Each structure stands twice: as C-alpha cells, then as structure tokens.
Amino acid sequence: MRAADPSSPQPRPAIRGAGRSRTGRPPSAPATTAILAIACTAQFMVILDVSVLNVALPAMRAELRLGPAGQQWIVNAYTLAFAGLLLLGGRAADLVGTRRAFLAGVTAFTFASLAGGFATEGALLIAARAVQGAGGAVLAPATLTLIMRTFTEPAARTRAMGAWSAVMAAGGAVGGVVGGVLTEYAGWRWVMFVNVPIGAGLLAAAVIFVPAASGAPGGLRRLDLPGALTVTAGLTSVVHGTVESETHAWGAWQVWGPLAAGLLLLAVFVAVEARVAHPLVPLAALRRRTVATANLLVLCMGAAAFSMWFLLSLYFQQVLGESALVAGLCFLPGSAAVVAGAQIATRLIARTGPRPIILTGMTISTVGLLWMSRIGTHADGDYVTDVLGPFVLATLGAGLSLMPVTAAATSGAAPHEAGLASGLVNTSRQMGGALGLAMLGTVAAHAGGGAAGYGRALLVGAACTAAAGAGALALPRLRDLNRDHLNREPNREPDRDLNREPNREPDRDLNRYPRKG
C-alpha cells in the first residue's frame, strides 16, 4: 500500500459526513443501529400509507360522498405525486445532503397526514394525499441512501438492506391489518393521523443520530431543472393516462392524450440528459446491464404486488362480505410470508447472487397468483379454501425477490450517486404499482367486476411476475458480477467518499457480493 504524501493537500470530498459522526470518525455500533432503525421506520411509514387506506376506502367513500372515481383518486393522488417526483427526490439527497432531504420529506409527509385526517371534503383529502406523495418522493430515496452511505462494508450492507427490504415489505402487508383495526375502532381518519406521532419521532431521532452532511458542490445550483421538469411531467402524464382508462375507453382522448404527451415528454427528457453538464439521470447509469435489467424487473414486480393487495382488499369486503377489521386480519399470513422470504434472501444472496433468488421468487409468486385467480370461477368464495394458500405463496415469492432486486438495481453506484440509484429503483417500483393498479383495475372492470373481474385481473398479475422471472435470466451470474466490479474502467473518476481513510487503498467495490466460507 502506497503511503500518501503528508505535504500534499487532500481532495475535498464531494459529500462530507456521509456515514460519519460529527467528529469525523466512523459512527459507533449504536449510532449505525439507530440510523438503520430510522431508515427502516421511515420507509415503513411511506409504504404503510399506500396499503393502510385500502380497507378504509369504503368508509371514506361513504362519509365524504365520493363516487368510484373519487375513491380511486384517493389512492392515485398519492401514487401520481410519489412516482412523478421520485427521481427528483432521489437527486435532492445527493445535491443538498441526505439529512436535509430526509427532514424535509418527513416534515411534508407528517403535516399532510395531519391535514388529511381533518379533511371534510373529498377534494381536501385528495389534495392532502398528493402532498403526502410529494413528501414520500423525497423521503423514500433518502432512507435507502442513508443505508448505502452508512453501511459500506459488503456484509453489513447486505444485512442492512435485508432489514430495509423486510420492513418495506411488511409495511405493505401490515397496512391492511392496521387500516382494518383503525377503521373499525377509531374511524378512517386515524389511518391518516397514525403517521403524525411516527413522523414527529422520526424528526427528533434524525436530528440526533443522522449526521449532518453537505451535498454536492454547488448544491441545488447543479440541479438539472429542464430534466427534472420533463421527467416529472412525463411520468405523471403517463400514469394519469393509464388511470383514466378505468373510466374511459382506450381510444378516448382522455386516455391516449395524456399517454402521448407523457411519452413525448420522456423522449424530450432523454434528449436533455444527453446534453446537460450535470444530468438528473446520467444515461451511462441506464446503460449498465445490471441496473437497467433490475429496474425493469422492479417495474413488473410492483405492478403485480400493488394490484394484488388492492384487489384482495376489495374482494374480502365486497365479495366475501367481511368487515374492515376482518379484511385486515386476512392479510396477516401474507405479512409473515413476506418477512420470511426477505430473511431467507438475505442469507442466500452472498452465496448465489441475486439472479437465482429472483427467478425462484417470481416463479413461486406466479404459481400463487395463477392459483388465486380461481376466485373468479364462482360468485362467492371462501378465504381458507380459495385465498389463503395461494396468497402465502405469492407473498413468499415477493419477499424472496425484493431485497436481491434492490441490491442489483443499486449495485455499482458511487457514493455521490446513491440518491440517484435509490430514486431510480423507487421510481420503477411506484411506476409499476401505478400502471399495474390502473391496468388491472381496468381489466377487472371490463370483466364485469366482482369475483370474475378480480380473478381475471390476477391472471394479468401472474403474467407480470412471470415476465419478471424470465427477465431475471438477463441478470449477470455471481461470478460475472464480481469480475465486472473488479475490472472497472481504469479511467473512471474515483469516488470521493469520506468513509474512506486518506491513506487507504481505494476499495475495488463497496457493492460486491461477498462469498461466505
């Protein structure tokens, strides 16, 4: 190892304080545990708010006198803002610092939840949900960025990402239970109010434990404003056009107009990114085989998972006639299966790499969704006979796949690109969820609704997971991943990371999947 010349000035890091305490030393074990808990809790809150409303929708619709479209917009307002702003939110963590982005996201999310709980009209609740989505778009990438910058040793990062993935999956699964209990005993408004004490606790904990860190030199002055505007408007327009297909035919201008405008804006975004000095999304990142493939898989997985939870919530209440509380309790076995799958994946990924785990998980999910689609063969049904077994299979497969695909999507990201990588994978997941929910909802409506419609929609969900399983074959094998990381381009600008001591030989790759034994 070559010693550094003490007389030569050390380069100023692009990101100061990342993964370090205020003293400049690496954070202690209790501090890193606290940061992991903060990141996981924040992600849990964001994902919980997607699913917690599902069982409360009928109560909201009745009290606020909403039609079917208004009920759907309670979900879609959040999804549109979340999906449209995620790339910008992820980049914000790189430009202004993870702590500032985290605090801003938590603050917006918490106050929007408070406002939504006091809403007396559907329009006010929908507006609050949109602000929640905007706050979540900043907060969600910041949670993954915190983990990537705090846990730089490969084995520790794998464990941390396993915990983050399990908590995120549990948030989607437990949301139905929490929503059912709150709706049944406290009223639907508490599915909004529940975020307020969580948000307040996160703000206090982040001020104490999350290290203050500056962003990239120049901060927001380096923000690619044309790129941010075009990609946000493009993604929002595409999702809006797809959502409109639930109430209009695909040939109607209300559908194809926003879709065409969104695709045009996304094409403009790609042209802008190829020319600006500091692009919001460097196109070179999208040309990496692992990153591009993993984000496509996340898109397909999100389409199936989000839609399954939403459709089952309606099936339990509208077909089986269960109360909000019982509907929520029906999700408990799936919650346990998701967490179990995530823990299994955490133990296996170091030996196998992500490809075989994702392939196995998506195969299991596909079998579960195909089996579950049989609910459409009869107008009434039974939870134990028709749903329980396939539901556990579908959620087990999802839990197995979540952490490996996230690890693949963020592999190779430099510390100063951590927010970008986090934003990309979260955008893919939310876009998949929004598009899948709109498309499967349209399939269910066109099939006549009820059990028959839900069964037909679940068949489409099975096609999504099957496509994700087939796409996993395009991911590199473990040995190829390790070889590619070790043979990185020699002319690549070295990562400037304060987590690396000045005299230490640069790490070959912080994201390499280590072999055990």
Side-chain angles (χ1 to χ4, degrees), residues 484-503:
D484 290 345
H485 294 328
L486 289 173
N487 295 327
R488 275 189 181 177
E489 308 87 90
N491 296 326
R492 176 181 174 184
E493 181 182 354
D495 299 335
R496 295 183 176 187
D497 183 5
L498 198 62
N499 292 323
R500 191 177 292 144
E501 291 86 357
N503 297 331

Side-chain angles (χ1 to χ4, degrees), residues 319-337:
V319 176
L320 300 186
E322 304 292 357
S323 66
L325 175 60
V326 174
L329 294 175
C330 287
F331 286 120
L332 276 177
S335 306

Side-chain angles (χ1 to χ4, degrees), residues 267-476:
V268 172
F269 167 70
V270 173
V272 168
E273 299 307 277
R275 290 170 174 78
V276 296
H278 302 290
L280 182 68
V281 180
L283 297 182
L286 298 179
R287 287 194 290 267
R288 297 173 192 162
R289 172 184 167 190
T290 303
V291 172
T293 302
N295 275 280
L296 286 175
L297 300 187
V298 169
L299 187 81
C300 294
M301 293 163 59
F306 277 66
S307 304
M308 179 186 69
W309 293 104
F310 180 78
L311 293 170
L312 284 179
S313 175
L314 297 180
Y315 175 78
F316 293 152
Q317 295 182 76
Q318 296 180 1
V319 176
L320 300 186
E322 304 292 357
S323 66
L325 175 60
V326 174
L329 294 175
C330 287
F331 286 120
L332 276 177
S335 306
V338 167
V339 175
Q343 293 303 310
I344 293 171
T346 302
R347 295 176 182 274
L348 293 179
I349 191 171
R351 299 180 181 275
T352 66
R355 187 169 80 161
I357 304 177
I358 297 171
L359 178 58
T360 302
M362 287 297 95
T363 300
I364 294 173
S365 285
T366 301
V367 172
L369 287 168
L370 287 173
W371 183 6
M372 201 188 307
S373 69
R374 294 182 67 255
I375 63 175
T377 60
H378 40 270
D380 55 356
D382 179 75
Y383 171 74
V384 175
T385 304
D386 299 319
V387 179
L388 181 57
F391 181 48
V392 169
L393 281 182
T395 49
L396 177 64
L400 275 171
S401 306
L402 182 59
M403 193 279 281
V405 78
T406 303
T410 56
S411 65
H416 63 276
E417 294 177 339
L420 167 64
S422 306
L424 276 174
V425 69
N426 277 288
T427 298
S428 299
R429 182 176 293 113
Q430 292 301 320
M431 283 298 295
L435 295 174
L437 184 58
M439 289 188 294
L440 270 67
T442 301
V443 169
H446 289 177
Y454 299 145
R456 184 75 59 85
L458 289 170
L459 278 176
V460 179
C464 292
T465 54
L473 296 174
L475 288 172

Side-chain angles (χ1 to χ4, degrees), residues 36 40 147 158-168 342-343 346 403:
L36 178 60
C40 288
I147 289 175
T158 296
R159 291 191 296 271
M161 289 188 68
W164 180 87
S165 299
V167 167
M168 185 177 72
Q343 293 303 310
T346 302
M403 193 279 281

Side-chain angles (χ1 to χ4, degrees), residues 92 95-96 216 218-224:
L95 295 178
V96 304
L220 288 177
R221 292 194 299 273
R222 295 183 59 183
L223 177 63
D224 170 21

